[in-house]
Amino acid sequence: MSYKAEYDRSMNDPEGFWKEKSEALKWFKAPEKILSQDEHGIFHWFADGEMNTAYMALDYHVENGRGDQVAIIYDSPVTDTKKTYTYTELRDEVAKAAGMLAGLGVEKGDRVIIYMPMIPEAVISMLATARLGAIHSVVFGGFAAPELAQRIEDAQPKVMISASCGIEIKRVIEYKPLLDKAIDLSAHKPQSCIIFQRPQATSPLIAGRDYEWDALMATATPADCVPVKGADPLYILYTSGTTGKPKGVVRENGGHAVALNYSMQAIYNMNPGDVFWAASDVGWVVGHSYIVYAPLLRGCTTIVYEGKPVMTPDAGAFWRITEEYGVKGLFSAPTAFRAIKKDDPNADLINNYDISSLLTIFSAGERLDPPTQEWMMEKTGKPVIDHWWQTETGWGITANLQGVEPMPVKLGSSTMPTPGFNVQILDENGQVLGRNEQGFIALKLPLPPSCLATIWGDVEKFKSSYLQTFDGYYASGDGGYIDEDGYVFVMGRVDDVMNVAGHRLSTGEMEEVVGGHPSVAECAVIARDDDLKGQLPMGLVVLKTGTDIDEETLSKELTQMIRSAIGAIACYKETHIVKRLPKTRSGKTLRKSLRQMVNGQPYVVPSTIDDVTIMPEIEALLREKGVIA
Ligand code: COA
Ligand code: AMP
C-alpha cells in the first residue's frame, strides 16, 4: 500500500477507513456509529461501541497467548534497579490496583490524579484507573504544588496516587510535601491518597486520608474490567495554553485505542512482540501514548526508563538500553539528542554497544533542527524521523509512515499529513494558502480518532480556543508551510506558548508569577532560542516607581518564585530590568517583536505601536549587556 493510497482513502471514506482500523481491536460490542456529532456539534468516534482500554491492552493479549511475553521493562539507573513484568504479571497487578481503587470508592467516571515519577506503579495506576472506567489525570512530577493544585481543583479527583519521592540527577525530590501543599491550596480535597513509599525518602502519612500502596495492594481484591462507551473519557491531560490556567484535554477511550494501535503499525512499523522505547515521561502526552497505551495495545514490550539521556551515567544511555533490550523503535525529543551530541560529539559511546536491533529513531516535542537530525543520522546510521504532535491530538499529525511507505527524509520537515489529518495552511482570514506560503497550520474538521473532544468541564472553552478562529477548522497554534512536494514544515508556535526541552509552557502563566513580585510593575516573558533546550524563558521587567532592588537580587527572587509556582522545568533564570515595554495603542505588549529581537531576527513593529522609541531603547540595552550580538 502506498502512502498516497492510504492517505486518500482516509480522506475520501473516513468512516470506512476507521471502521476497518477499529476491527483490529477486541470490543465487547463493536461500534455501529463510527462518526457522530453531539448536541454541541462536536464530533465523536465510535460513540456506541463498548470496550475497556485496559482490557484491550492487557487481558486480550493474555487470553491470546501473549501472557509470558514481557510487557514492561523498568530500567532505573538512578536507583540501580531493573525489573520486568510479563503481560500476565502486569494484568494481575493492574487488576489488584483497580481493586485497591475500588476499595476506596472509585467508580466509573470518577477522576484519579496520578503524581508520580517514572516507576512501573505510575503505569499500573493509569491502567488500573482505566480498568474501572474511571478517568485518570497524570500530573508531571516536575510540576510544583500550585500547578498540581490547579489540576486538583479542576479535575476534582476522588483519589490521588503519588510516591514519596522522585529522583533527579543531583537530588531526591520529596513529592509528599508537594502533594500536601497542593491539596491545601485547592478548594477541592480528594477523599484519599495512596502513597508508594520509596526507600530514598519515606513520607509520614495523614491518618484517615493517606494509605500506603503496599499495604492496600496486599489485601486488595482484583477487580474486573468495567465496560465503557467508545466516547467515554479515558483521561484528562492538562496542557499549557496562552493563559495562566492549563487546559484539561479530554481523551476518549474508543478513538484513542483505534488511532494508537493503528499508529504503532503505520507510523512506527512495530509488530506484536517488538520492543518500543519512548524515552519520555508518563506526565507528558508522548508518555501516555507511547510509553503506556500504544505499545501495550499492539502487544509490544515497552520500557519505563527512570533516567536521563546523559549523566545517568553518560551519553551512552540510549545505546546501552537499545542493546540490552533489543529496542527496535526509539522515540525521544530533539533536546535529548542535542544533550547526547553535546556530551559525546563524536558519538564514541555508540561503539561500545550493538545497536543493530534499532531500525528507526523518531523525534517529536519540538522541530528537529537539521544539524541535530544530520548528526544523529550520520552517527547512528539509522533513519531519524521527525513527526509533529500535540497533546490535543495524542498522536502524530504529520509523520513519515515507516509501516506504510517510508518517504525520503527532508531535513527540517516532519514529512506529510498522517492518514486522517487534513492539514491546511491558512492566512489570517482563513483562506487556504498555496505551496511554500507560510501561514497558520489548521486541521479541517472532523479531526481523526484520538483527538480531543472537549476541554474538561468546558465545551465553550474548547470551541473558543480551537474551533472559532477558522470556521470549519481546528487551529493548531503552530505556523508553517507545505512545500511543492507536499512536505509539511512546522516552524513554531504563533501564540504565547513556549517549548523548553520539549516541555510546553505558557509565557502568560510565567508573566503572572513574575508580575506577582512586589517590585514589578509590569513584565513580558519571551522565549529565547537555546542550543540545548530549544527555547528558554527570559523576563523583561519594569519596576514599580520608587522601588529599590538590584537586577541580580530581583533575578534570583524571580527564579525562585517560578520554581515554586511552576517548577524547575520552566528553567527560568534570566531577568532584565527595562524602563518601558513596547505596546500597541490598545495596550497589548509586542511580545512577538521582542522575541524576534532577542533572537537576532529582523523584527517587525506594527503601525499601531504606542511609542516607536521603546524597541530601539531595549535593543540598545540588551546589546550593551551582551545579551544580543
Ligand atoms: N521531577 C522533579 N524535577 C524535575 C523533573 C521531575 N520529573 N524533571 C526535571 N526536573 C528538574 C530538574 O531536576 C532540573 O532542576 P534544576 O534546575 O534544579 O537542576 C530542572 O527541572 C530542569 O530539568 P531538565 O530540563 O530535565 O534539565 P536537565 O539539565 O536536568 O537535563 C536534558 C537536560 C536535555 C537531559 C533533559 O531536559 C531531557 O532529558 N530532556 C528530554 C525531555 C523530554 O523527553 N521531553 C518529553 C517530550 S517528548
Ligand atoms: P505538546 O502538546 O506538549 O506535545 O506540545 C505541542 C507543541 O510542540 C506543538 O504545538 C509544536 O509547537 C511543538 N512540536 C511538537 N512536535 C513538533 C515537531 N515535530 N515539529 C515542530 N514542532 C513540534
Side-chain angles (χ1 to χ4, degrees):
M1 169 79 78
S2 71
Y3 161 75
K4 186 169 179 333
E6 179 87 346
Y7 182 76
D8 287 351
R9 245 200 87 212
S10 78
M11 290 293 110
N12 298 334
D13 176 20
E15 294 196 62
F17 182 88
W18 289 112
K19 179 174 190 297
E20 182 194 293
K21 305 303 174 202
S22 75
E23 287 161 3
L25 292 168
K26 176 90 167 103
W27 297 73
F28 299 145
K29 181 176 155 291
E32 284 169 15
K33 282 189 203 168
I34 302 301
L35 179 64
S36 52
Q37 267 179 298
D38 65 19
E39 69 276 20
H40 303 288
I42 307 289
F43 291 99
H44 300 272
W45 289 93
F46 315 114
D48 65 348
E50 280 178 27
M51 59 169 298
N52 182 285
T53 299
Y55 173 83
M56 288 173 166
L58 298 175
D59 304 55
Y60 171 77
H61 297 306
V62 176
E63 290 164 12
N64 286 275
R66 209 164 278 290
D68 293 336
Q69 182 196 307
V70 172
I72 291 185
I73 298 166
Y74 169 53
D75 186 297
S76 168
V78 292
T79 59
D80 201 17
T81 313
K82 292 175 187 174
K83 191 175 174 184
T84 58
Y85 294 78
T86 64
Y87 268 92
T88 302
E89 287 165 345
L90 185 59
R91 185 220 32 204
D92 292 348
E93 282 296 289
V94 167
K96 245 197 301 169
M100 159 175 86
L101 289 170
L104 294 173
V106 175
E107 293 175 359
K108 183 175 167 181
D110 286 338
R111 273 80 59 214
V112 175
I113 282 192
I114 299 166
Y115 181 61
M116 292 184 110
M118 279 290 289
I119 54 177
E121 288 72 17
V123 180
I124 292 168
S125 300
M126 292 165 76
L127 290 161
T129 308
R131 195 174 180 87
L132 294 178
I135 302 165
H136 60 70
S137 187
V138 181
V139 179
F140 177 60
F143 276 126
E147 288 283 337
L148 179 57
Q150 288 198 39
R151 288 153 174 81
I152 299 173
E153 190 130 347
D154 196 71
Q156 309 216 330
K158 191 176 260 182
V159 171
M160 295 185 64
I161 309 178
S162 190
S164 54
C165 64
I167 293 133
E168 280 295 294
I169 297 172
K170 293 175 234 148
R171 60 207 162 103
V172 169
I173 297 176
E174 292 199 38
Y175 278 31
K176 184 62 175 21
L178 300 173
L179 179 84
D180 290 341
K181 185 167 173 211
I183 294 173
D184 276 352
L185 290 171
S186 164
H188 173 85
K189 312 288 176 196
Q191 285 174 17
S192 321
C193 297
I194 304 171
I195 309 297
F196 181 77
Q197 297 281 20
R198 306 187 81 188
Q200 293 79 7
T202 50
S203 322
L205 302 183
I206 296 177
R209 189 197 74 182
D210 298 346
Y211 302 89
E212 270 188 16
W213 171 284
D214 283 347
L216 292 185
M217 284 289 273
T219 55
T221 312
D224 277 342
C225 295
V226 174
V228 297
K229 296 278 190 212
D232 281 338
L234 168 69
Y235 69 75
I236 310 166
L237 180 57
Y238 288 85
T239 189
S240 300
T242 48
T243 65
K245 189 169 183 278
K247 291 193 281 236
V249 167
V250 175
R251 188 91 58 223
E252 297 179 347
N253 277 276
H256 172 257
V258 172
L260 261 53
N261 187 50
Y262 169 66
S263 73
M264 281 305 276
Q265 186 273 319
I267 298 181
Y268 303 101
N269 191 22
M270 298 297 292
N271 296 313
D274 288 341
V275 182
F276 190 71
W277 180 27
S280 178
D281 188 291
V282 290
W284 305 114
V285 66
V286 171
H288 279 62
S289 294
Y290 292 104
I291 294 173
V292 185
Y293 287 109
L296 298 177
L297 285 161
R298 183 83 177 135
C300 296
T301 298
T302 185
I303 298 177
V304 174
Y305 175 66
E306 191 181 25
K308 302 258 176 182
V310 292
M311 298 180 281
T312 57
D314 58 31
F318 276 21
W319 322 127
R320 184 216 17 118
I321 298 262
T322 299
E323 177 188 277
E324 204 165 328
Y325 306 116
V327 173
K328 180 176 165 191
L330 164 65
F331 179 175
S332 195
T335 186
F337 302 141
R338 288 195 296 263
I340 294 170
K341 182 176 157 200
K342 185 163 167 255
D343 280 16
D344 184 19
N346 296 319
D348 294 328
L349 292 169
I350 294 186
N351 300 326
N352 297 346
Y353 303 97
D354 172 3
I355 61 165
S356 56
S357 64
L358 189 59
L359 284 193
T360 323
I361 299 172
F362 299 91
S363 173
E366 64 180 285
R367 179 166 178 262
L368 179 55
D369 56 290
T372 304
Q373 191 169 11
E374 274 182 310
W375 184 87
M376 284 290 288
M377 288 202 280
E378 186 203 318
K379 300 300 179 198
T380 61
K382 315 282 176 188
V384 179
I385 307 291
D386 187 12
H387 56 330
W388 169 52
W389 268 73
Q390 301 188 321
T391 302
E392 288 84 345
T393 62
W395 64 305
I397 309 163
T398 57
N400 191 333
L401 304 190
Q402 298 301 295
V404 175
E405 183 195 7
M407 310 291 272
V409 168
K410 273 200 193 189
L411 295 178
S413 167
S414 53
T415 319
M416 300 203 187
T418 309
F421 286 99
N422 186 343
V423 179
Q424 299 292 337
I425 309 294
L426 306 182
D427 70 11
E428 64 226 24
N429 301 315
Q431 296 304 309
V432 176
L433 291 171
R435 293 292 157 106
N436 290 310
E437 285 188 283
Q438 191 144 336
F440 300 93
I441 311 183
L443 311 176
K444 199 162 187 337
L445 300 175
L447 296 170
S450 162
C451 298
L452 83 172
T454 190
I455 296 293
W456 179 251
D458 198 347
V459 74
E460 288 310 318
K461 185 163 181 191
F462 172 51
K463 289 185 183 172
S464 62
S465 304
Y466 300 104
L467 306 182
Q468 282 167 0
T469 318
F470 304 114
D471 193 28
Y473 290 87
Y474 163 91
S476 71
D478 281 303
Y481 63 95
I482 302 180
D483 79 358
E484 59 286 354
D485 299 321
Y487 278 65
V488 181
F489 288 75
V490 182
M491 304 309 291
R493 298 290 303 195
V494 291
D495 54 14
D496 293 323
V497 166
M498 73 165 78
N499 196 315
V500 179
H503 307 145
R504 178 166 156 184
L505 298 162
S506 155
T507 52
E509 188 172 8
M510 285 191 240
E511 285 177 5
E512 276 183 25
V513 178
V514 172
H517 188 285
S519 302
V520 172
E522 56 176 345
C523 64
V525 174
I526 49 179
R528 187 172 181 198
D529 293 346
D530 180 74
D531 285 347
L532 177 63
K533 299 200 174 176
Q535 292 185 320
L536 283 177
M538 168 177 160
L540 299 177
V541 164
V542 179
L543 293 182
K544 283 182 184 157
T545 318
T547 41
D548 182 22
I549 185 166
D550 65 88
E551 192 167 88
E552 202 187 326
T553 310
L554 178 67
S555 186
K556 274 194 193 135
E557 289 178 10
L558 290 176
T559 298
Q560 197 45 52
M561 281 170 72
I562 296 267
R563 287 174 76 93
S564 310
I566 297 173
I569 49 153
C571 297
Y572 181 97
K573 293 192 174 112
E574 190 177 356
T575 302
H576 300 282
I577 297 176
V578 295
K579 286 203 194 85
R580 304 173 294 172
L581 285 171
K583 300 222 173 120
T584 60
R585 278 191 281 280
S586 59
K588 207 166 167 283
T589 305
L590 299 182
R591 287 192 191 80
K592 188 171 168 201
S593 310
L594 287 167
R595 194 170 66 220
Q596 288 166 325
M597 181 211 288
V598 300
N599 291 315
Q601 297 159 2
Y603 59 85
V604 186
V605 178
S607 55
T608 51
I609 190 164
D610 190 32
D611 180 342
V612 288
T613 63
I614 302 180
M615 286 291 287
E617 180 182 298
I618 297 178
E619 191 176 6
L621 175 89
L622 295 179
R623 186 157 290 130
E624 195 185 313
K625 290 170 91 176
V627 176
I628 51 177

